[in-house]
Amino acid sequence: MSNAQDTHTQSEADAASALEQELARANVDADPVALNQRLFVGPRNMLIACLCVGYAVFHLLVMNVYPLETWAYRLSHVGGGLLLGFLLFGSTPFIHDPNEPEKGGPLSLAMLGLAGAGILYGAVGVVAIWINGQVLGEMLPPQWAMSSFGIPLCLGTVLAIVHGWVFPHRRRALFAPGDVLLAVSAVAFTAYLIFFARQLQLRAGMPMALPGDMWSAITGCLLIIELTRRLAGLALVIIAGVFVAYAFAGPWLPGIFEHRGYDVKRFFSYIFTDNGVLGAPIAISSTYIILFVIFAAFLQTTRVGEYFVNLAFAAAGHRRGGPAKVAIFASGLMGMINGTSAGNVVATGSLTIPMMKKVGYRPQTSAAVEAAASTGGQIMPPIMGAGAFIMAEITGISYMEIVYAAIIPAVIYFVSVYFMVDLAAKKANMKGLPRDELPKFAKLAKQIYLFLPIVVLIYALFAGYSVIRCGTLAMVTAAVVSWLTPHRMGPRQLFQALDNGARMVLQLVAVCATAGIIVGVIALTGIGSRFSTVLLALADQSQFLALFFAMVVSIILGMGMPTTAAYAVAASVIAPGVINLGVAPLTAHLFIFYFAVMSAITPPVALAAYAGSALAGSDPIRTSVESFKIGLAAFVVPYMFFYSPAMLLDGSWFEIAHIAVTALVGVYLLSCAVQGWFFGHANLAVRLALGAGGLTMIAGGWLTDAIGVGIAVLLVLFQKARGTTAEAAGGAD
């Protein structure tokens, strides 16, 4: 990136803003013109671009051609992400002021010198340990070697991190020395863990763990937490810090929080196993997430993604509130592939939000619609923003079963968002965009073959191919169809797509690794099972109360966290208790997943809404409230499929059709209640009645559905009569 050192946050208050800005910059760089201007200008940019491409190619080769041992592959994924992250993203926001001198002095030089000595000594030590084991046949005791080199490596890393906070880097054209040292530290600790992978798996978390295991793991955790702070703000860092502190403070805590405590060596050597950092979140990040993020980068570079938006504008842009309806389709489609809600808001919202404002939507409404649609993409099969893959990994339920079950709830959500924007447009008497300002549908229809990457992806998934094979085929298809357009993918464009894909995935690598730390603490201390016991006691054998608590905890945990991390943590803490109450595992996990996703549009910390507000120029809090209202159905649908398993395709076709139709009627009534429009302006009493009618359809029973339909019919008659009376009064005047 030309702005590689522009990042990130020093306080929780500006974490969301920093994330929006960085995602916005990533989106600008995704443009092929910007990429052409950036990639080959200067040795620094060329080096970063080559490293990013190498990172992407490494993953594609391992997934498709030359598989590595799982432990080594996941460590390489994390270590490579840390290396790139520290070279790309600075420790504090970049403020360009040519007159401001570089902060430094003797203290800065002393800190850098000590940090460099420690990290380089540790890095050389790792090489020496490898030579000692592989060449010299362990002439020196490995315990001495790693205790000797591990401590300087860890202390040097701490000094380099602190130096970045105290002495921010100001020169765009140069790497920050402290960040280079952190990148070297990432390579050193990763190399040690990979070289001794087999032995470490046997002794991790056990008394025979070596001092080197501990110091390398501590170094890794420090680097992961620091990169997460730079890329995702302090919210997730604070949560992870609380969990790590809990692992050591257990003996002095009361009640269910008490545990016997763990010494430093056992804790940190345990954390860097497949029970912690290298567990389910990184397993998915290193395979499905990076695969589909690179696929999204292919769609951007070849302009295939832009075609989806243009086609939607050509088909619906002229209709009432057309740009908002386009946003629902385009953002939902791209959000399904993209790994983050906020990132997708920036990617598609830069086009849809200005168009929505142009036809009359308020700035905060425009941003809220984009945020709700982009967030909904995370629950849309077949990819579900990688959520389906993580759920399959955690639960053992087959991927295709999860995808089938999620179809009707996702459709209902997007239909409800459509209702919201259509009613808002009708209430404000909005028009669509003039046809002469829209792309020509006839011309775009001749390029319908550009949908082939999505068609190939969906066909291959449902045909039973592996997910990795499906994503790779879709990627190749995107490259092939680009040759039928002016934006052909040649070697240079391929380089750009791989480079951009690697950059886009770094935030997810950091947050998945941090989520792994949290999950590791939960597994080691057993707090998840104890929390489940408390949940059962509070719910008093009431499944509804248990689900309500699960909803609250999922939303709170998800605030400020990307979907993948939020769901992984929430599932570890809450799901066992809900399942113990008799709720089906698939229902319980989908329930938790929905609310973890919707935390992105839930005030007060709504990252997707904040990203949209930055583009629309609206107030972030008001935008988050508006996005919550527009996405209201997502807070109702999980209760619907809890009470009516047929919504998850668990029942006869008649039951499934009955639940789907009545659910659509229910969300329509709720949408009318929120927007205050039901065959004309709806006063407060009518809105309350509409809300009550919609909520009665949650249970999915014939009686409750009849009550809801009866309320709707009475309100239609009332609104019609009221409208006739108003017209008569107007005529009399």
Side-chain angles (χ1 to χ4, degrees):
M1 283 188 185
S2 59
N3 49 7
Q5 296 293 334
D6 296 76
T7 350
H8 263 1
T9 172
Q10 280 290 80
S11 67
E12 187 173 6
D14 62 3
S17 175
L19 174 60
E20 298 157 23
Q21 294 167 11
E22 184 52 44
L23 288 168
R25 288 192 294 271
N27 183 56
V28 171
D29 287 342
D31 181 76
V33 176
L35 282 163
N36 280 326
Q37 294 172 348
R38 182 195 74 205
L39 283 181
F40 304 107
V41 178
R44 177 182 175 280
N45 286 339
M46 187 62 189
L47 174 62
I48 291 177
C50 290
L51 289 174
C52 287
V53 171
Y55 186 69
V57 170
F58 165 76
H59 285 83
L60 293 176
L61 288 176
V62 171
M63 285 188 283
N64 291 282
V65 181
Y66 185 76
L68 283 181
E69 193 270 332
T70 302
W71 178 290
Y73 177 58
R74 293 181 188 176
L75 279 170
S76 301
H77 175 71
V78 174
L82 292 171
L83 168 68
L84 290 174
F86 287 117
L87 293 179
L88 280 167
F89 302 102
S91 59
T92 57
F94 183 90
I95 303 172
H96 181 66
D97 185 354
N99 298 319
E100 182 178 356
E102 188 83 12
K103 290 185 178 180
L107 179 59
S108 173
L109 292 175
M111 290 181 69
L112 276 178
L114 290 173
I119 290 173
L120 294 177
Y121 185 78
V124 171
V126 172
V127 176
I129 294 168
W130 181 81
I131 294 174
N132 179 49
Q134 300 297 319
V135 180
L136 303 180
E138 294 192 355
M139 291 177 59
L140 297 173
Q143 293 90 338
W144 172 86
M146 260 326 281
S147 59
S148 172
F149 295 114
I151 295 174
L153 178 67
C154 184
L155 294 179
T157 300
V158 172
L159 276 175
I161 291 172
V162 174
H163 179 273
W165 301 344
V166 178
F167 301 103
H169 188 60
R170 299 296 185 190
R171 297 179 182 175
R172 284 178 182 267
L174 301 174
F175 290 115
D179 291 342
V180 173
L181 291 176
L182 292 176
V184 173
S185 178
V187 173
F189 98 84
T190 304
Y192 170 78
L193 294 178
I194 290 177
F195 289 158
F196 297 94
R198 287 188 174 84
Q199 301 95 313
L200 188 57
Q201 290 180 75
L202 298 175
R203 62 181 185 247
M206 305 296 289
M208 68 278 296
L210 301 177
D213 305 340
M214 176 186 71
W215 291 115
S216 294
I218 292 175
T219 302
C221 288
L222 288 171
L223 293 171
I224 288 168
I225 297 262
E226 169 61 9
L227 187 60
T228 302
R229 183 193 68 82
R230 297 184 183 197
L231 297 182
L234 282 175
L236 183 55
V237 170
I238 291 172
I239 293 173
V242 169
F243 272 88
V244 171
Y246 169 68
F248 299 108
W252 299 280
L253 295 176
I256 66 162
F257 297 106
E258 182 183 4
H259 62 82
R260 64 186 183 84
Y262 300 92
D263 62 58
V264 176
K265 186 168 70 171
R266 181 179 179 190
F267 173 77
F268 281 103
S269 62
Y270 178 88
I271 283 297
F272 252 91
T273 66
D274 52 10
N275 293 308
V277 171
L278 305 181
I282 280 295
I284 302 304
S285 169
S286 63
T287 50
Y288 307 132
I289 290 179
I290 191 168
L291 178 68
F292 285 106
V293 167
I294 294 174
F295 175 47
F298 268 62
L299 294 181
Q300 289 179 348
T301 303
T302 60
R303 304 291 182 94
V304 173
E306 184 180 307
Y307 171 78
F308 299 155
V309 179
N310 287 336
L311 183 64
F313 267 112
H318 64 284
R319 298 182 179 275
R320 179 177 61 217
K325 296 169 182 176
V326 169
I328 296 171
F329 169 79
S331 301
L333 180 62
M334 293 303 294
M336 171 185 69
I337 301 169
N338 202 317
T340 62
S341 301
N344 191 62
V345 167
V346 174
T348 56
S350 57
L351 177 61
T352 59
I353 288 175
M355 292 294 189
M356 282 188 268
K357 292 168 66 177
K358 187 174 182 178
V359 298
Y361 285 101
R362 294 179 300 167
Q364 69 189 49
T365 303
S366 303
V369 169
E370 177 60 43
S374 292
T375 302
Q378 304 283 294
I379 61 174
M380 173 60 75
I383 301 174
M384 299 169 65
F389 309 126
I390 296 178
M391 197 178 301
E393 184 83 13
I394 293 175
T395 62
I397 300 171
S398 73
Y399 164 76
M400 290 308 301
E401 185 178 347
I402 294 170
V403 167
Y404 280 122
I407 291 174
I408 293 179
V411 169
I412 290 172
Y413 173 77
F414 276 99
V415 170
S416 75
V417 175
Y418 181 92
F419 288 154
M420 289 283 188
V421 300
D422 186 62
L423 290 166
K426 189 181 295 185
K427 184 178 179 180
N429 195 28
M430 293 181 193
K431 308 297 181 184
L433 291 169
R435 287 186 179 272
D436 59 357
E437 295 183 13
L438 295 171
K440 302 302 179 185
F441 183 81
K443 180 180 178 181
L444 291 173
K446 296 177 181 178
Q447 295 179 298
I448 197 67
Y449 53 79
L450 292 177
F451 263 105
L452 272 177
I454 303 298
V455 173
V456 167
L457 173 65
I458 295 175
Y459 171 79
L461 284 170
F462 285 92
Y465 290 95
S466 72
V467 175
I468 291 173
R469 178 62 56 84
C470 297
T472 305
L473 288 173
M475 203 181 303
V476 172
T477 305
V480 171
V481 298
S482 74
W483 279 76
L484 303 175
T485 74
H487 310 289
R488 297 181 177 183
M489 176 167 272
R492 187 185 185 91
Q493 289 73 26
L494 177 63
F495 190 93
Q496 294 167 355
L498 293 170
D499 169 68
N500 197 45
R503 294 169 191 261
M504 290 164 62
V505 83
L506 293 179
Q507 186 205 35
L508 292 170
V509 174
V511 298
C512 285
T514 304
I517 294 174
I518 299 171
V519 171
V521 173
I522 293 170
L524 184 63
T525 61
I527 184 61
S529 60
R530 291 198 295 277
F531 187 86
S532 298
T533 303
V534 173
L535 185 64
L536 293 174
L538 289 174
D540 193 24
Q541 300 305 310
S542 167
Q543 292 180 334
F544 176 81
L545 282 178
L547 289 172
F548 178 78
F549 290 137
M551 175 188 74
V552 173
V553 174
S554 297
I555 291 174
I556 292 174
L557 286 175
M559 287 183 177
M561 294 171 62
T563 302
T564 47
Y567 167 66
V569 174
S572 300
V573 175
I574 307 165
V578 176
I579 293 170
N580 287 340
L581 272 176
V583 179
L586 178 57
T587 302
H589 278 270
L590 275 176
F591 187 96
I592 293 168
F593 178 69
Y594 261 64
F595 287 112
V597 169
M598 291 304 148
S599 64
I601 57 170
T602 305
V605 184
L607 291 186
Y610 290 171
S613 70
L615 292 175
S618 60
D619 179 77
I621 297 299
R622 291 183 178 180
T623 302
S624 64
V625 172
E626 186 95 5
S627 65
F628 172 79
K629 289 163 55 179
I630 291 173
L632 186 64
F635 297 85
V636 176
V637 168
Y639 289 98
M640 288 182 171
F641 62 64
F642 163 67
Y643 283 111
S644 307
M647 185 176 285
L648 303 181
L649 302 184
D650 182 13
S652 66
W653 284 108
F654 179 77
E655 291 173 329
I656 294 170
H658 162 232
I659 292 302
V661 171
T662 56
L664 288 172
V665 174
V667 297
Y668 179 73
L669 296 180
L670 287 174
S671 301
C672 293
V674 170
Q675 295 294 357
W677 187 267
F678 187 68
F679 295 93
H681 177 73
N683 59 31
L684 180 60
V686 172
R687 294 174 74 172
L688 291 174
L690 286 167
L695 292 175
T696 58
M697 296 191 168
I698 290 178
W702 287 103
L703 177 60
T704 53
D705 288 346
I707 293 172
V709 171
I711 291 174
V713 171
L714 290 175
L715 290 175
V716 169
L717 296 175
F718 174 77
Q719 288 290 90
K720 291 286 188 182
R722 186 178 169 208
T724 303
T725 303
E727 289 178 8
D733 292 342

